[in-house]
Amino acid sequence: MQKLLLAALLLTALVRAQDPAGNAGAGQRLYMKNGCYQCHGTVGQGTIAGARIGPPRLNAQGLIRYVRRPAGQMPAFTEKVMSDRELADVYAFLKTIPPPKPSKDIPLLNDLRGK
Amino acid sequence: MARKGPVGRRGFLKGAAGAAAGAAALATSTPAAKAQAPERAATPLPSTALAAAEKSPPIRGDVSTVDVYTTDRPGADFMVDVIKTLNFDYVCANPGSSFRGLHESLVNYGGNKAPEFITCCHEESSVAMAHGYFKIEGKPLMVMAHGTVGLQHASMAIYNAYADRVPVYIVLGNIQDIKFRRSDVEWAHSVQDAAAMVRDYTKWDDNPVSLGHFAESSVRAYKIAMTPPYEPVVIVADAVLQEEPMPEADRRTARIPKLTLPAPPAGDSGALAEAAKLLVAAENPLIVAGRSARTPQGIALLVELAETLQAPVQDRHFRMNFPSLHPLSGGNIATADVVLGLEVQDFWMATHTQTPINRMGMQSKPITKPGAKLVTIYSGDLYGKSNYQDFGRYAEVDLSIAADAEATLPALIEACRKLITPDRRRAMQARGAKLAEASKAARERDIELAAYGWDASPISTARVSMELWNQIKNEDWSLVSDVNPFFSSWPLRLWDFKKHYQYLGEHGAYGIGYGAPAAVGAALANRKHGRLTVNIQCDGDLNYAPGVLWTAAHHRIPLLTIMHNNRAYHQEAMYLTDMAARANRSVSTFSVGSGINDPNIDYATMAKAYGMYGKGPITDPKDLGPAIKEAIAVVKRGEPALIDVVTQPR
């Protein structure tokens, strides 16, 4: 059992080492665990409390810079709170979020137009 | 009439010990009692002490000397006469012994009509129901409560109503005279100055010592409550006055004064002329509305002012002030050269920005441009108290008009019209056209943003809003819950709000626990109008006093409740993350003390337990539309229904 666990850990480390852009699965867990979803929604859709960030409009470095020195209501997350590596994982998760369907293809929304 | 002469409770209490023993003996010695004997067969056997007492002779000898405690005219009946002149539709109360006399008189003497008794499971619910009811109907409800523990339960809701400028008419039971407190319970439930506890956030109170006094103070209290700014009031109904026969002196002299409500105070004509001059000359005027629409007419008046000036209206949504899709809805305070605040309690907040809450230090700066003229029309300037700080920061303005905004608008509109030259009219029309374009663009942006997370689970608040809108848009609907900011304001951004009962604003003092009972109260008001009442219900709020669901079921109050079940006291979860990040510590602990999970609360089952329709939890957005449709069918039958929707946090 211990050998299996060790192998799993090694495999995870290997995958992460081979994924400089970040690990989306780990990023999603961090996104939820560290409360990013509170203001940005579980799929980064944004809320009245936080901007839409999924899919991201910034690149990874831009996201990290913003998290370190945010404007407005967002608290600054220092490296002690979330490392660059962890933020890269979060970024990888955000990149997996597909763009929404065009609102014109959502009848409930499209019906609002012209009213 | 069974009373022997003018027997009151004094006589009853004097002979109580004998009466307790004597009554049993009397009951079994009369023909009537014998005839009823078989029906009493199921009565439990008496205790040894009671059996001994029953066999002993009455303490005061012949049973014929025992006082019989009845009266054909308790003081509470006169209180009901007074209350009926005030034309309350309902009285909301959790029953309490200190107002038992009045309770009984309302039901039996008053016929349980005008007011009708609404059974509440918590005094906070009673007051919040009255709060929601008033915002629909424009009439206060009466609430009854114990002067001590009941008022303690009610107090947060009273503060909400006070801060929200809502009149609630509160009648407190109390036993003032120590001779009449019959047990440790009554001592604990009695108080020297019953209204003291809420005096900081009620407008007026009195503790009448006679029935005539009760009549005059009751009418005065109503008049004070209904004079803008509206506020809660308290009248103490002494239990002895309620239960004792109406004294001979009161029978001869007590009368119920005529109620005449005062005309609301309108602004000074000179000040209005000055305001009109500023507004007409402005290149970019902005109207900020707080509780501008005190009545349904207030919406029409604000539309008239905005269209006269072609000025945008920024609605802060403390009431339904302005149609949400009106082309003049919106505006930018940063570019305004004249800002007119109409009943804006937090005008300083509306005109300033502050350091974000998670930053050290505290700084603020105006968001208006230098030289912008600030004008307010605010009835809060006519009245205020010091201890509770809901009045907000002092607003430095250029022209302050202490008056009721709605009562003042006709004169202001007229003053503006007189000053508008053809040149100014052309400029205003050009401005109006630009504002209409900006309003259209803002709506398009909101529609695009609503598409993000459309198929997510938990379900996005935009999706919930639109699934709901799709089912109610062709009904005579009334959204009675606060959705700003808890629901990311999506209904306010996407729906078509026009009528005064379509949005009620907020808690007042942001006391959580308001939402569910205020919604039930609003639905009670909407019932006679046949409106479809909709409540988007925060989960944390419902858990303060969920018994109000039973009240809705018991009184057949039709209400559609959609749970905003984000399984957290989410505002606090965000604050905790802020604080942890600021302290450079782990932010992953935010749910400790703020999560409402493990176990998840099953709100559909909760609803069923209280006797109403419940469905959910719904986690797949595709299931939501059909569930809403089904629940609306229940509501249209005249019943409450609840759908538990697991939602995004905001």
Side-chain angles (χ1 to χ4, degrees):
Chain A
M1 182 65 191
Q2 278 181 330
K3 282 181 182 173
L4 272 177
L5 185 62
L6 186 61
L9 287 170
L10 283 170
L11 184 62
T12 303
L14 188 63
V15 167
R16 288 174 65 112
Q18 290 171 342
D19 184 10
N23 180 300
Q28 184 173 21
R29 286 190 291 278
L30 284 165
Y31 185 85
M32 297 303 292
K33 179 185 161 194
N34 287 343
C36 309
Y37 78 94
Q38 293 170 352
C39 301
H40 301 288
T42 63
V43 291
Q45 77 273 19
T47 73
I48 204 164
R52 175 176 65 77
I53 55 174
R57 287 167 287 183
L58 299 170
N59 61 26
Q61 283 308 309
L63 179 89
I64 292 169
R65 270 199 303 275
Y66 189 83
V67 169
R68 301 290 181 230
R69 299 187 72 81
Q73 293 287 339
M74 181 168 167
F77 282 48
T78 67
E79 287 203 50
K80 284 179 75 174
V81 179
M82 281 183 89
S83 68
D84 283 3
R85 176 73 228 182
E86 288 175 319
L87 287 172
D89 288 346
V90 168
Y91 185 81
F93 160 61
L94 295 175
K95 287 287 279 185
T96 67
I97 296 168
K101 274 188 282 193
S103 60
K104 66 178 175 50
D105 295 339
I106 301 174
L108 293 185
L109 290 176
N110 196 44
D111 285 352
L112 294 173
R113 292 197 164 88
K115 292 176 184 167
Chain B
M1 173 172 168
R3 184 165 59 87
K4 285 196 337 170
V7 175
R9 194 167 55 173
R10 287 181 179 83
F12 170 71
L13 288 173
K14 193 171 66 179
L26 181 67
T28 53
S29 65
T30 61
K34 284 175 184 167
Q36 290 171 5
E39 292 178 32
R40 299 185 60 181
T43 304
L45 291 173
S47 65
T48 308
L50 183 58
E54 286 179 348
K55 289 171 186 166
S56 302
I59 290 170
R60 291 170 57 189
D62 188 343
V63 294
S64 65
T65 65
V66 173
D67 292 335
V68 177
Y69 179 56
T70 65
T71 177
D72 60 346
R73 186 69 166 142
D77 285 3
F78 177 74
M79 292 179 175
V80 171
D81 289 339
V82 174
I83 288 163
K84 279 184 173 287
T85 68
L86 301 177
N87 196 26
F88 296 109
D89 296 327
Y90 300 99
V91 51
C92 295
N94 181 245
S97 59
S98 61
F99 55 86
R100 63 188 186 178
L102 185 53
H103 182 160
E104 189 275 338
S105 285
L106 281 164
V107 174
N108 285 328
Y109 174 71
N112 198 26
K113 284 182 184 166
E116 177 187 340
F117 200 98
I118 301 291
T119 313
C120 296
C121 303
H122 194 299
E123 288 81 355
E124 187 172 293
S125 305
S126 305
V127 175
M129 278 189 69
H131 190 161
Y133 186 94
F134 178 81
K135 288 204 274 190
I136 291 288
E137 197 64 8
K139 276 177 71 179
L141 286 192
M142 180 173 145
V143 166
M144 291 194 295
H146 269 315
T148 54
V149 290
L151 188 58
Q152 286 163 350
H153 272 310
S155 58
M156 187 282 284
I158 296 172
Y159 184 47
N160 266 339
Y162 174 83
D164 200 19
R165 306 290 185 248
V166 166
V168 179
Y169 195 95
I170 302 155
V171 176
L172 300 179
N174 187 38
I175 305 174
Q176 189 79 36
D177 188 337
I178 61 171
K179 296 195 301 292
F180 292 89
R181 299 174 191 167
R182 289 154 296 197
S183 67
D184 56 339
V185 176
E186 292 195 340
W187 274 91
H189 286 177
S190 297
V191 55
Q192 184 185 63
D193 181 1
M197 182 174 31
V198 295
R199 193 162 289 138
D200 277 328
Y201 41 93
T202 49
K203 198 173 182 184
W204 194 77
D205 66 83
D206 199 13
N207 186 13
V209 297
S210 70
L211 291 170
H213 187 173
F214 180 88
E216 183 165 328
S217 289
S218 296
V219 174
R220 186 195 301 275
Y222 193 97
K223 180 174 180 174
I224 290 171
M226 287 297 289
T227 303
Y230 298 151
E231 299 289 12
V233 291
V234 173
I235 288 291
V236 180
D238 183 71
V240 180
L241 285 181
Q242 294 175 49
E243 296 182 22
E244 289 284 282
M246 188 173 182
E248 286 300 326
D250 273 334
R251 290 184 191 221
R252 285 194 307 275
T253 61
R255 57 181 293 274
I256 305 169
K258 182 171 75 173
L259 171 69
T260 306
L261 293 181
D268 170 75
S269 58
L272 290 180
E274 197 178 336
K277 196 173 163 186
L278 287 168
L279 288 164
V280 170
E283 290 306 314
N284 289 304
L286 172 70
I287 301 166
V288 181
R291 295 183 179 85
S292 174
R294 185 172 41 76
T295 75
Q297 178 63 13
I299 300 173
L301 286 169
L302 186 51
V303 168
E304 196 176 347
L305 177 66
E307 291 180 351
T308 299
L309 295 167
Q310 290 297 301
V313 176
Q314 198 176 81
D315 193 341
R316 291 178 75 75
H317 300 300
F318 291 101
R319 291 289 186 278
M320 173 62 210
N321 294 302
F322 197 70
S324 61
L325 298 187
H326 192 286
L328 293 170
S329 177
N332 182 357
I333 200 165
T335 59
D337 51 358
V338 175
V339 179
L340 172 65
L342 298 176
E343 297 291 351
V344 184
Q345 193 166 343
D346 59 343
F347 192 70
W348 187 93
M349 293 290 288
T351 52
H352 287 75
T353 183
Q354 288 179 280
T355 310
I357 198 162
N358 55 294
R359 307 291 161 78
M360 298 298 284
M362 190 70 189
Q363 294 176 323
S364 62
K365 62 179 181 181
I367 48 178
T368 49
K369 67 181 186 181
K373 297 291 184 191
L374 307 183
V375 181
T376 56
I377 303 176
Y378 182 39
S379 61
D381 285 333
L382 296 165
Y383 170 82
K385 293 199 175 189
S386 57
N387 193 17
Y388 284 73
Q389 305 279 303
D390 65 299
F391 43 76
R393 196 149 172 195
Y394 177 78
E396 291 179 73
V397 302
D398 298 284
L399 182 58
S400 172
I401 301 172
D404 175 68
E406 183 175 315
T408 302
L409 283 185
L412 180 62
I413 293 164
E414 191 54 35
C416 289
R417 281 195 177 127
K418 284 180 182 167
L419 296 175
I420 297 173
T421 62
D423 280 352
R424 290 308 301 150
R425 182 165 291 111
R426 276 192 293 277
M428 287 174 183
Q429 281 166 351
R431 178 169 69 217
K434 282 185 189 170
L435 288 165
E437 283 303 310
S439 176
K440 197 173 165 188
R443 179 159 176 76
E444 183 60 30
R445 276 196 303 277
D446 279 337
I447 292 171
E448 291 296 335
L449 285 172
Y452 286 86
W454 188 255
D455 294 320
S457 178
I459 303 174
S460 84
T461 50
R463 177 76 181 260
V464 177
S465 301
M466 287 313 302
E467 294 287 354
L468 188 50
W469 176 244
N470 187 47
Q471 304 279 345
I472 68 169
K473 64 188 177 187
N474 296 321
E475 307 283 348
D476 186 16
W477 57 273
S478 170
L479 177 66
V480 296
S481 47
D482 172 17
V483 294
N484 178 32
F486 299 120
F487 222 58
S488 283
S489 300
W490 279 117
L492 292 168
R493 294 157 73 181
L494 300 174
W495 298 8
D496 184 6
F497 290 81
K498 288 192 180 89
K499 297 171 183 167
H500 83 280
Y501 54 82
Q502 288 178 333
Y503 194 64
L504 305 189
E506 305 183 350
H507 317 60
Y510 306 99
I512 306 299
Y514 155 93
V520 175
L524 179 65
N526 277 330
R527 182 170 66 180
K528 71 178 174 190
H529 301 289
R531 297 173 189 144
L532 174 59
T533 308
V534 178
N535 171 34
I536 298 175
Q537 176 63 51
C538 295
D539 54 345
D541 180 283
L542 179 60
N543 282 296
Y544 280 86
V548 77
L549 297 180
W550 176 85
T551 298
H554 178 70
H555 290 283
R556 313 292 188 269
I557 299 172
L559 169 65
L560 173 62
T561 293
I562 305 288
M563 289 304 300
H564 173 25
N565 182 7
N566 60 17
R567 294 175 174 163
Y569 296 105
H570 189 72
Q571 184 66 51
E572 311 314 315
M574 292 193 290
Y575 283 153
L576 290 165
T577 305
D578 275 353
M579 294 298 107
R582 194 169 86 172
N584 262 320
R585 291 195 279 255
S586 170
V587 292
S588 64
T589 56
F590 62 82
S591 66
V592 177
S594 69
I596 313 178
N597 54 354
D598 190 19
N600 294 327
I601 297 172
D602 182 347
Y603 293 100
T605 299
M606 177 193 279
K608 289 173 193 164
Y610 283 118
M612 61 189 276
Y613 173 94
K615 183 149 188 156
I618 291 176
T619 55
D620 186 337
K622 289 197 294 295
D623 296 336
L624 187 52
I628 292 171
K629 189 173 183 181
E630 198 175 311
I632 285 176
V634 173
V635 175
K636 284 187 170 179
R637 291 202 302 265
E639 298 171 31
L642 179 148
I643 304 175
D644 181 10
V645 185
V646 180
T647 51
Q648 291 282 324
R650 278 280 187 272

